[in-house]
């Protein structure tokens, strides 16, 4: 039986973009208004009440447009601003929208006047953008919106999809009540609560799946994506008295953070990253059992606190700060994030130092192995057997290990990974993106 066609119904405000566009438009149009802060608050309140299902969407929209006092010049400024505010995980997966231009629909209670210029950059077709439209006076002042548009009404997204009669498997991605209504009404097969920008508890509780990034949505649906494994699935354990600014850098990078006073047994087998406050220790036993651990960031001098040799043999890259420089508030987490994102081991304490450019439209594979003769030949034999074209390759060694990075641009088959992992003397293999 042929696979059903899939459609992706994506919200705009706080989903495709990091912000609520009408709130941002108010900040532009009311910039010089003496009571601007009070009006901003009212507009934001109306937005949230509708998103949480506590006020009808039509009532919320009417009140917000009335308070805006906006014109077409303000709209131009808003569009420029929104183009810089596309959600990070949507931005990095631009290729997905190009490939699936026919199946992606933007369905929003926002307005076409600012949505179309923003999403069109991502190859989303104008005919697949469904949103409200403003009513303006001859001199460009926004005075109202088209009340005949179903998206301006309560349950507007449901009405629109009933009218479109799409046939296939329908996925909804959004942050608000109007997105959940599509699932509740049976118009879509699955609702994914998008929480990269905002998590509304009442919506998250009703979702089929919580997706902290668009990478997560693509991953669970086995769709092509910019990074192989969503960062929100990588557990980063922060142990001890660590400055919140340090943690914030890793949280902003999309990692799943747990802050603890000690390395609890339940986390040992799943942890991918550990950040240790100065003075904290890790035992050899803990290191041996931390099979998914990729990197450690130590906020101080790690000598005698963790076993560097064992980390090297386990394929764990360590970053520490032997001089206890106060700069480590962002120095260590940035090194750790850079390693996770590009594979760069620059300024690591136990691995050959390698700085790497990111190569577009390629897949980056990391192979850590014992430094014995002939390994690179075996790696490249595997690539040749699988007809893989190598775009770039980097190798750094020290007396103990070899750290090899290979960028490939071909579609690969999962057997390739199995073959690379099976090479004798392999310590760790990882697909970066």
């Amino acid at each position: 039986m042929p696979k059903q066609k899939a459609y992706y119904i994506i919200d705009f405000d706080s989903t495709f973009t990091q912000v609520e566009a009408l709130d941002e438009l108010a900040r532009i149009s009311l910039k010089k208004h003496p009571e601007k802060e009070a009006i901003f608050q009212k507009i934001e309140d109306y937005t949230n009440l509708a998103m949480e299902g506590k006020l009808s969407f039509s009532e919320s929209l009417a009140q917000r447009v009335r308070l805006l006092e906006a014109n077409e010049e303000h709209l131009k400024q808003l569009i420029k601003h929104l183009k810089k505010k596309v959600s990070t995980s949507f931005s990095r997966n631009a290729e997905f929208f190009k490939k699936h231009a026919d199946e992606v629909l933007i369905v929003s209670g926002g307005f076409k006047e600012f949505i179309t210029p923003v999403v069109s950059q991502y190859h989303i077709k104008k005919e697949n953008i469904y949103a409200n439209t403003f009513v303006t006076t001859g001199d460009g002042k926004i005075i109202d919106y088209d009340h005949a548009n179903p998206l301006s009404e309560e349950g507007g997204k449901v009405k629109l999809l009933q009218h479109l009669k799409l046939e296939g498997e329908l996925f909804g991605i959004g942050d608000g009540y109007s997105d959940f209504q599509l699932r509740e009404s049976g118009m879509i097969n699955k609702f994914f609560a998008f929480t990269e920008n905002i998590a509304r508890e009442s919506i998250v509780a009703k979702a089929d799946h919580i997706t902290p990034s668009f990478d997560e949505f693509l991953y669970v649906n086995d769709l092509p994506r910019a990074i192989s494994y969503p960062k929100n699935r990588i557990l980063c354990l922060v142990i001890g008295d660590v400055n919140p600014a340090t943690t914030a850098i890793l949280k902003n990078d999309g990692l799943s953070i747990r802050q603890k006073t000690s390395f609890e047994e339940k986390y040992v087998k799943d942890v991918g990253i550990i950040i240790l406050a100065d003075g904290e220790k890790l035992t050899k036993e803990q290191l041996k059992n931390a099979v998914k651990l990729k990197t450690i960031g130590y906020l101080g001098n790690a000598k005698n606190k963790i076993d560097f040799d064992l980390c090297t043999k386990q394929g764990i890259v360590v970053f520490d700060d032997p001089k206890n420089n106060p700069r480590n508030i962002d120095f260590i987490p940035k090194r750790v994030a850079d390693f996770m994102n590009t594979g760069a081991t620059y300024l690591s304490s136990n691995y050959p130092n390698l700085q790497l450019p990111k190569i577009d439209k390629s897949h980056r594979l990391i192979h850590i192995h014992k430094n014995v003769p002939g390994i690179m030949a075996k790696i490249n034999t595997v690539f040749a057997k699988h007809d893989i074209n190598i775009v770039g390759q980097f190798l750094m060694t020290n007396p103990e290990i070899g750290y090899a990075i290979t960028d490939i641009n071909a579609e690969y088959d999962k057997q390739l990974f199995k073959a690379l992992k099976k090479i004798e003397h392999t310590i760790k293999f990882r697909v970066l993106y």
Side-chain angles (χ1 to χ4, degrees):
M1 193 175 156
K3 199 179 173 188
Q4 273 189 307
K5 184 168 181 171
Y7 286 97
Y8 309 99
I9 317 295
I10 302 174
D11 181 39
F12 183 75
D13 293 291
S14 294
T15 298
F16 199 93
T17 57
Q18 300 165 27
V19 293
E20 291 287 327
L22 283 185
D23 296 2
E24 300 300 304
L25 181 55
R27 295 199 175 275
I28 293 165
S29 65
L30 300 167
K31 199 174 179 180
K32 293 175 182 171
H33 197 290
E35 292 167 39
K36 61 181 180 181
E37 290 305 326
I39 303 172
F40 293 159
Q41 194 54 56
K42 273 187 190 174
I43 290 172
E44 211 170 290
D45 290 345
Y46 282 129
T47 300
N48 287 324
L49 287 168
M51 287 298 115
E52 289 160 17
K54 294 172 183 171
L55 180 71
S56 81
F57 184 78
S58 52
E59 178 62 18
S60 163
L61 189 62
Q63 294 290 2
R64 285 182 286 160
V65 171
R66 186 177 58 79
L67 290 165
L68 278 174
E69 294 184 25
N71 60 40
E72 286 176 351
E73 191 49 48
H74 297 137
L75 267 179
K76 284 178 190 170
Q77 292 175 50
L78 174 68
I79 290 161
K80 197 175 174 184
H81 175 62
L82 291 179
K83 283 180 175 179
K84 295 173 187 166
K85 289 285 179 184
V86 172
S87 295
T88 311
S89 63
F90 278 97
S91 180
R92 74 168 153 258
N93 284 290
E95 200 60 30
F96 172 82
F97 297 106
K98 194 174 180 179
K99 278 186 181 174
H100 294 270
D102 292 330
E103 298 94 55
V104 172
L105 278 67
I106 299 293
V107 177
S108 170
F111 289 82
K112 277 190 180 182
E113 286 86 349
F114 55 72
I115 293 174
T116 302
V118 175
V119 302
S120 295
Q121 303 175 110
Y122 289 83
H123 310 281
I124 291 166
K125 296 181 172 180
K126 286 189 172 71
E127 59 268 31
N128 285 359
I129 301 166
Y130 297 91
N132 284 299
T133 51
F134 286 122
V135 172
T136 55
T137 57
D139 60 355
K141 191 166 184 259
I142 294 167
I143 51 165
D144 204 354
Y145 59 89
D146 176 10
H147 291 257
N149 188 324
L151 286 166
S152 70
E153 300 167 21
E154 180 57 26
K157 291 187 180 183
V158 174
K159 289 172 190 168
L160 175 77
L161 258 70
Q162 284 169 338
H163 171 73
L164 290 177
K165 294 186 172 72
L166 297 172
E167 286 185 20
E169 194 171 11
L170 274 60
F171 298 98
I173 307 160
D175 66 289
Y177 182 67
S178 61
D179 305 300
F180 166 67
Q181 280 180 321
L182 291 172
R183 180 73 171 97
E184 194 178 37
S185 64
M187 292 309 300
I188 60 173
N189 299 79
K190 275 187 181 174
F191 168 57
F192 291 79
F194 187 78
T195 60
E196 185 171 316
N197 305 307
I198 188 165
R200 304 179 199 276
E201 279 180 42
S202 57
I203 308 306
V204 164
K206 296 169 181 171
D208 292 299
H209 192 88
I210 299 158
T211 179
S213 66
F214 192 52
D215 308 297
E216 171 73 8
F217 172 80
L218 297 172
Y219 178 79
V220 297
N221 292 297
D222 201 22
L223 291 162
R225 54 198 175 272
I227 54 176
S228 297
Y229 193 73
K231 290 184 195 173
N232 57 273
R233 288 179 172 245
I234 299 170
L235 174 61
C236 174
L237 209 53
V238 178
I239 299 169
D241 186 15
V242 172
N243 189 311
T246 296
T247 313
I249 290 165
L250 296 164
K251 196 170 186 180
N252 291 341
D253 204 50
L255 297 159
S256 176
I257 310 284
R258 298 276 186 288
Q259 194 138 12
K260 297 289 168 185
T261 52
S262 63
F263 192 5
E264 296 169 25
E265 188 60 38
K266 65 178 177 181
Y267 294 117
V268 174
K269 284 190 167 61
D270 293 317
V271 67
I273 301 168
I274 295 178
I275 302 294
L276 291 162
D278 195 15
E280 297 292 334
K281 291 183 178 181
L282 288 180
T283 67
K284 286 188 177 185
E285 200 60 32
Q286 286 170 328
L287 285 170
K288 279 177 184 168
N289 292 331
V291 289
K292 292 184 182 175
L293 185 57
K294 296 166 185 67
T295 180
I296 296 170
Y298 196 93
L299 303 173
N301 189 340
K303 196 178 178 186
N304 303 324
K305 306 290 194 322
I306 52 177
D307 189 320
F308 280 81
D309 288 341
L310 182 56
C311 285
T312 303
K313 285 170 187 164
Q314 298 269 112
I316 301 164
V317 177
V318 180
F319 297 93
D320 78 334
D321 186 19
K323 293 179 181 173
N324 275 311
N325 195 314
R327 69 182 177 150
N328 72 9
I329 283 175
D330 63 0
F331 171 71
I332 296 293
K334 280 183 177 172
R335 294 270 68 78
V336 165
D338 196 27
F339 167 71
M340 293 303 291
N341 294 332
T342 70
T345 52
Y346 179 60
L347 297 180
S348 104
S349 316
N350 67 325
Y351 262 64
N353 272 222
L354 188 57
Q355 276 182 298
L356 297 155
K358 192 174 190 304
I359 295 177
D360 288 339
K361 295 181 182 173
S362 68
H363 305 287
R364 177 161 287 175
L365 314 180
I366 296 180
H367 192 278
I368 302 173
H369 50 267
K370 288 180 186 171
N371 188 7
V372 296
I375 299 269
M376 284 309 291
K378 287 177 183 175
I379 288 172
N380 289 332
T381 299
V382 169
F383 286 128
K385 277 184 181 171
H386 286 82
D387 295 319
I388 298 291
N389 179 38
I390 295 172
V391 181
Q393 197 164 44
F394 311 87
L395 171 70
M396 291 286 277
T397 62
N398 66 20
E400 293 291 320
I401 52 106
Y403 185 74
I405 298 251
T406 308
D407 289 320
I408 61 173
N409 65 5
E411 286 302 316
Y412 52 78
D413 136 359
K414 297 279 162 56
Q415 294 306 312
L416 170 68
F417 301 163
K418 286 180 182 172
L420 289 167
K421 285 176 188 174
K422 278 182 184 171
I423 293 171
E424 197 182 356
H425 304 301
T426 297
I427 295 170
K428 208 166 250 182
F429 170 78
R430 179 175 157 225
V431 183
L432 202 60
Y433 51 76

